[in-house]
């Protein structure tokens, strides 16, 4: 035991020694004073020793990671206040590398926990590393390959959220470069030096988004095809692949008008809808499959979804629209079953509340004061949609500290009633704090959501955290 404790201390101290150059740069740059650097070192020593315990606990990894994320936010605010944007490769890069290590260790030791994998993927998305997030999702699906919703969520992330995260990160990067370039240009002008315009050619700017879209589509298609190898003839995965191919075809038809030089794929075959037609044909073959039992309502719902997806893609609509309408007309009349195709079914079923009347009253209210009176009279029976609408009205009028505190109180009042059975409630609360309130509270709020929700809703919550727009 003494030797084991010595080895544990040796490894912890080795990790702390590797952090000394980072702490030196923090103090030299003035982002932390010596007392704050010493306090940071003490906190990290406590976290490192906790990670070396014989019995590993997930909350130790999560607390350490949350502490480092808070440090990144603090450095971001202090850099903005001091207009100091140097030595990022020696400070923030070291912290990000440590966060990756913590997430990898947590995923390795707690492979059955979906929240570990999705937290790592979400962190990679937030810092602008979509390639790393894709690798994390691929590794997660090697462990949890038996779940169709995870394959769909991973593909949907690559096709939608990956592009948004990448574009957001590029805008932030371009903004930092522009601010630094403006400062440098003003200094050069003050010295009487000539300044040159931005040398990036326009063609490179126009072709970069196209490459991102094509790469995202290729990755999303690869995930769906891998899922189909595990879940053969799965209607949900085939339907997801069909929507992807139809979306890519529609994008290419629109993009070819502006950028006819888009390369990397067979433009003629995709523009003609051939990949989407192959997937749709495979889906139609499942109607004659006697090995699976499907009700008439499920067939009707699938055909309706196929027709809607085909109509969004003109080449596919020309080939299959009449056939799909004929199949719909040939089905016997039957009460439709609950939806089975949407990935967000499990996430939104518990959160759906019949509060159309409350939303209508909020929209018809004359001014913010009247909307607040309507909300105060109906908050005891209102659902998530009405709460979202009230938050939107508050945000549209004022984003003061008083308005933020008022909306936060409303979320806390409804947490006891909606929290245990509504994934959409926590998604709305997290979205409010992340985009409008205090982003430092997101980690604590995520922990509360996992404690409040019923056990059968946790997996749906993890999927909703990966793709937030699915519960909107």
């Amino acid at each position: 035991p003494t030797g084991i404790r010595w080895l544990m201390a040796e490894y912890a101290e080795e990790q702390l020694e590797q952090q000394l150059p980072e702490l030196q740069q923090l103090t030299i740059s003035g982002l932390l004073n010596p007392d704050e650097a010493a306090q940071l070192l003490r906190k990290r020593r406590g976290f490192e020793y906790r990670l070396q315990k014989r019995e590993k606990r997930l909350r130790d990894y999560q607390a350490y990671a949350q502490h480092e994320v808070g440090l990144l936010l603090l450095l971001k605010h202090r850099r903005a206040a001091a207009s100091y944007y140097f030595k990022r490769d020696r400070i923030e890069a070291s912290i990000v590398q440590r966060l990756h290590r913590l997430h990898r260790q947590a995923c390795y030791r707690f492979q059955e926990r979906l929240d570990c994998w999705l937290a790592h993927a979400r962190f990679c998305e937030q810092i602008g590393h979509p390639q790393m997030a894709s690798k994390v999702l691929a590794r997660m699906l090697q462990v949890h390959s038996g779940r169709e919703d995870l394959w769909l969520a991973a593909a949907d992330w690559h096709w939608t959220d990956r592009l948004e995260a990448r574009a957001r990160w590029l805008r932030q990067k371009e903004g930092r470069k522009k601010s630094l370039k403006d400062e440098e240009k003003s200094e050069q002008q003050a010295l009487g030096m000539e300044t040159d315009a931005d040398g990036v050619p326009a063609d490179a700017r126009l072709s970069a988004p196209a490459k991102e879209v094509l790469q995202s589509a290729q990755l999303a298609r690869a995930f769906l095809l891998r899922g189909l190898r595990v879940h053969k003839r799965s209607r949900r995965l085939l339907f997801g692949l069909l929507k992807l191919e139809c979306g890519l075809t529609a994008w290419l038809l629109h993009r070819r008008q502006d950028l006819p030089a888009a390369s990397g794929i067979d433009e003629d075959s995709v523009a003609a809808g051939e990949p989407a037609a192959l997937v749709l044909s495979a889906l139609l073959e499942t109607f004659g499959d006697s090995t699976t039992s499907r009700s008439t309502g499920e067939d009707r719902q699938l055909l309706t979804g196929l027709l809607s997806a085909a109509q969004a893609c003109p080449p596919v609509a020309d080939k299959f629209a009449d056939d799909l309408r004929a199949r719909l007309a040939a089905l016997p009349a039957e009460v439709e079953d609950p939806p089975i195709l949407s990935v967000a079914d499990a996430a939104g079923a518990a959160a759906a509340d019949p509060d159309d009347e409350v939303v209508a009253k909020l929209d018809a209210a004359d001014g913010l004061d009247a909307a607040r009176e309507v909300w105060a009279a109906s908050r005891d029976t209102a659902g998530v949609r009405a709460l979202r609408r009230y938050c939107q009205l508050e945000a549209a009028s004022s984003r003061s500290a008083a308005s933020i505190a008022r909306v936060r109180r409303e979320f806390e009042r409804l947490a006891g009633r909606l929290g245990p059975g509504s994934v959409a409630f926590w998604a709305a609360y997290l979205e409010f704090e992340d985009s409008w309130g205090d982003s430092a509270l997101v980690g604590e709020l995520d922990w509360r959501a996992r404690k409040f929700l019923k056990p059968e809703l946790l997996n749906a919550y993890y999927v909703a955290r990966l793709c937030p727009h699915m519960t909107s």
Side-chain angles (χ1 to χ4, degrees):
T2 304
I4 294 176
R5 285 196 297 268
W6 182 84
L7 289 175
M8 293 166 54
E10 184 73 15
Y11 183 79
E13 293 297 331
E14 180 184 357
Q15 294 295 326
L16 293 171
E17 287 178 4
Q18 295 176 2
Q19 301 172 15
L20 292 179
E22 171 194 331
L23 294 174
Q24 291 175 355
Q25 294 298 330
L26 283 170
T27 54
I28 292 174
S29 60
L31 296 173
L32 293 180
N33 58 45
D35 293 336
E36 291 173 335
Q39 184 181 3
L40 175 61
L41 183 60
R42 285 195 298 270
K43 285 188 175 182
R44 284 179 173 176
R45 177 176 280 109
F47 285 126
E48 291 290 348
Y49 273 89
R50 271 185 239 165
L51 295 185
Q52 301 309 315
K53 289 182 179 180
R54 180 175 298 180
E55 183 181 354
K56 309 297 182 183
R57 298 182 301 183
L58 179 59
R59 62 176 178 267
D60 293 334
Y61 291 94
Q62 292 173 340
Y64 197 178
Q66 186 175 352
H67 174 268
E68 295 299 305
V69 170
L71 178 60
L72 284 176
L73 293 175
L74 175 64
L75 295 178
K76 178 181 178 181
H77 291 304
R78 291 195 174 181
R79 282 184 179 277
S83 298
Y84 183 83
Y85 299 102
F86 303 101
K87 297 184 179 180
R88 289 180 179 272
D89 56 337
R90 299 184 181 183
I91 300 175
E92 277 85 353
S94 176
I95 300 174
V96 168
Q97 186 178 4
R98 186 175 305 109
L99 281 166
H100 278 303
R101 173 176 66 87
L102 293 173
H103 282 295
R104 282 196 302 268
Q105 291 177 353
C107 291
Y108 176 77
R109 294 189 177 277
F110 306 95
Q111 298 189 18
E112 72 282 356
R113 295 288 298 267
L114 276 176
D115 53 339
C116 294
W117 298 100
L118 298 181
H120 193 186
R122 192 166 184 81
F123 168 71
C124 297
E125 175 189 355
Q126 290 173 348
I127 63 175
H129 292 173
Q131 294 86 355
M132 181 66 70
S134 180
K135 293 179 180 179
V136 172
L137 293 177
R139 183 71 183 92
M140 177 190 71
L141 288 170
Q142 290 179 352
V143 180
H144 300 277
S145 60
R147 296 196 44 182
E148 296 182 7
D149 55 344
L150 292 182
W151 291 104
L152 286 167
D156 185 81
W157 180 86
H158 281 88
W159 181 235
T160 55
D161 296 285
R162 180 185 181 275
L163 291 174
E164 296 173 3
R166 184 66 176 173
R168 184 167 57 251
W169 180 77
L170 288 175
R171 285 196 300 269
Q172 294 175 357
K173 185 178 179 181
E174 288 297 327
R176 290 196 299 267
K177 287 184 177 180
K178 185 177 180 181
S179 61
L180 292 174
K181 190 170 294 184
D182 292 341
E183 294 178 1
E184 182 180 356
K185 186 180 293 186
S186 62
E187 293 178 358
Q188 292 176 350
Q189 291 176 351
L191 295 174
M193 299 172 60
E194 295 183 0
T195 58
D196 296 331
D198 191 355
V200 181
D203 295 338
R205 285 205 186 100
L206 292 176
S207 61
K211 293 179 181 178
E212 291 289 338
V213 172
L214 296 177
Q215 184 180 7
S216 297
Q218 183 179 4
L219 291 170
R221 185 189 297 115
F223 272 91
L224 289 171
L225 292 177
R226 285 177 55 196
L228 285 170
R229 294 191 189 101
V230 180
H231 306 275
K232 300 183 183 299
R233 301 177 66 83
S234 169
R235 282 185 165 188
R236 297 180 68 184
L237 294 179
L238 284 172
F239 186 71
L241 184 58
L242 174 65
K243 290 196 295 183
L244 170 65
E245 297 297 346
C246 290
L248 180 60
T249 302
W251 173 85
L252 185 59
L253 290 173
H254 174 74
R255 196 56 184 268
R256 289 177 86 183
Q257 301 174 4
D258 303 327
L259 286 178
S263 60
I265 57 174
D266 188 354
E267 298 178 15
D268 295 333
S269 63
V270 175
E274 294 180 6
L278 290 174
V279 179
L280 184 53
S281 301
L283 263 169
L284 293 178
E285 291 177 0
T286 61
F287 286 89
D289 189 0
S290 59
T291 59
T292 58
S293 58
R294 301 285 183 183
S295 65
T296 304
E298 292 174 347
D299 289 342
R300 185 183 302 278
Q301 183 197 350
L302 177 60
L303 288 173
T304 303
L306 295 179
L307 183 59
S308 176
Q311 288 175 345
C313 181
V316 179
D318 295 340
K319 298 178 182 178
F320 293 94
D322 295 337
D323 183 20
L324 293 173
R325 293 192 185 96
R327 289 174 179 266
L328 271 173
L331 288 176
E334 184 179 334
V335 179
E336 295 187 5
D337 294 336
I340 62 169
L341 292 175
S342 175
V343 182
D345 289 342
D353 289 326
D355 50 2
D356 295 337
E357 183 179 355
V358 180
V359 175
K361 289 181 179 179
L362 288 172
D363 292 336
D366 186 12
L368 182 60
D369 293 335
R372 288 173 178 172
E373 293 178 359
V374 171
W375 174 254
S378 57
R379 68 161 63 97
D380 294 336
T381 58
V384 179
R385 287 173 50 252
L387 179 59
R388 279 181 177 272
R389 184 55 185 155
Y390 171 71
C391 293
Q392 292 172 359
L393 294 175
E394 287 281 357
S397 61
S398 171
R399 297 204 172 194
S400 61
S403 298
I404 293 175
R406 183 180 293 108
V407 174
R408 188 179 288 121
R409 284 197 300 270
E410 297 301 331
F411 274 107
E412 291 296 333
R413 286 173 179 171
L414 296 183
R417 178 167 63 88
L418 299 178
S422 174
V423 173
F425 169 79
W426 294 107
Y429 201 172
L430 287 164
E431 180 184 356
F432 158 72
E433 293 291 359
D434 192 29
S435 60
W436 185 21
D438 187 359
S439 58
L441 299 177
V442 171
E444 178 184 353
L445 196 58
D446 176 69
W447 180 85
R448 286 181 58 194
R450 289 185 277 110
K451 294 296 182 182
F452 261 78
L453 284 171
K454 299 176 182 179
E456 59 269 19
L457 293 177
L458 284 178
N459 286 339
Y461 171 75
Y462 300 148
V463 175
R465 286 283 284 161
L466 176 63
C467 299
H469 66 277
M470 290 184 174
T471 56
S472 59

